[in-house]
Amino acid sequence: MSIDARHVRTERLNTFVREAGDPSGPTLLLVHGNVSSSVFFDELIADLSADAHVLAPDFRGYGD
């Protein structure tokens, strides 16, 4: 399993997102708390991606 890490650019924001798993499966959104980032979810993303499509964005000011 590999985790795709990329920036998603919209009209006003540039957001870093980690993504793994099959997009046709159920999608899980992992939301991190204050003073952390999506990198803390790497092991969880690896475990969950066998059964689900997993997205973990970094919020502005945290992470990448």
Side-chain angles (χ1 to χ4, degrees):
M1 186 288 318
S2 66
I3 298 173
D4 177 31
R6 61 192 165 89
H7 284 92
V8 176
R9 183 174 295 278
T10 64
E11 185 177 314
R12 298 177 59 198
L13 296 173
N14 186 22
T15 303
F16 183 77
V17 177
R18 294 175 191 281
E19 180 177 16
D22 183 359
S24 68
T27 298
L28 297 174
L29 178 63
L30 303 180
V31 180
H32 65 77
N34 193 19
V35 192
S36 67
S37 73
S38 63
V39 73
F40 291 97
F41 290 130
D42 278 352
E43 288 183 37
L44 184 59
I45 292 170
D47 291 343
L48 294 173
S49 66
D51 300 312
H53 177 226
V54 184
L55 295 171
D58 276 343
F59 294 109
R60 293 176 70 184
Y62 301 97
D64 191 5

